[in-house]
Amino acid sequence: MKHEGRVLTIAAANGRVGYVFLDDTVVLTWGLSRKASRGPDEAAARTAQWLETLRPDVVITEKITRRNRKGDRTKAVIAAIRSVAEMADVLAIEVARVQSHQNKFEEAVEIAAIFPELARLVPKYRKPWQTEPKTTVYFEAAALVLSAFGDPRRRP
């Protein structure tokens, strides 16, 4: 699938909700909200603010499947984000998150090669006992764009 226009992709992780906003294949901005991860009401309110401010044509969220390892609160946050997007005057797309890399750090490096605007956000590799860097949520969001529309470098 190909899409040209303003795309807002939103990903939720434990303790944070992040977005990446693109115009066609160029990342214009990104952001993070810890408050939006607290529950569905907070997530819905923040999503409505992002929609009003950024005015996207398309909103992409993660499709929750049985294989999804996210917690119940994060799943409820994702459902609230999707609900707000579906009520807005935008094309709301839900895609399964496919991780085709051994870990999130390798995935972040690959995504940064596709979207160079995100290169400075690539997290440093961590030890298993260290907490996950907050910037990984940006790459989760960008991965949803790739799942929905494919790699823009391979478009005709």
Side-chain angles (χ1 to χ4, degrees), residues 30-94:
W30 53 87
L32 179 103
S33 173
R34 291 188 188 281
K35 185 176 179 181
S37 71
R38 292 183 190 153
D41 292 341
E42 293 88 347
R46 192 65 181 122
T47 301
Q49 289 174 341
W50 287 334
L51 290 172
E52 185 176 323
T53 302
L54 300 171
R55 304 253 182 229
D57 301 313
V58 177
V59 175
I60 303 172
T61 57
E62 182 175 359
K63 181 177 187 175
I64 300 300
T65 64
R66 281 190 234 164
R67 299 179 125 199
N68 191 292
R69 297 181 356 195
K70 296 197 182 277
D72 290 340
R73 181 177 11 181
T74 303
K75 289 177 183 178
V77 164
I78 293 169
I81 292 167
R82 184 177 50 248
S83 177
V84 170
E86 288 172 347
M87 289 187 295
D89 188 23
V90 298
L91 174 61
I93 299 174
E94 144 181 72

Side-chain angles (χ1 to χ4, degrees), residues 88-109:
D89 188 23
V90 298
L91 174 61
I93 299 174
E94 144 181 72
V95 295
R97 174 139 157 61
V98 178
Q99 191 168 350
S100 57
H101 297 78
Q102 188 173 359
N103 58 54
K104 291 182 179 184
F105 304 97
E106 290 178 11
E107 180 181 49
V109 169

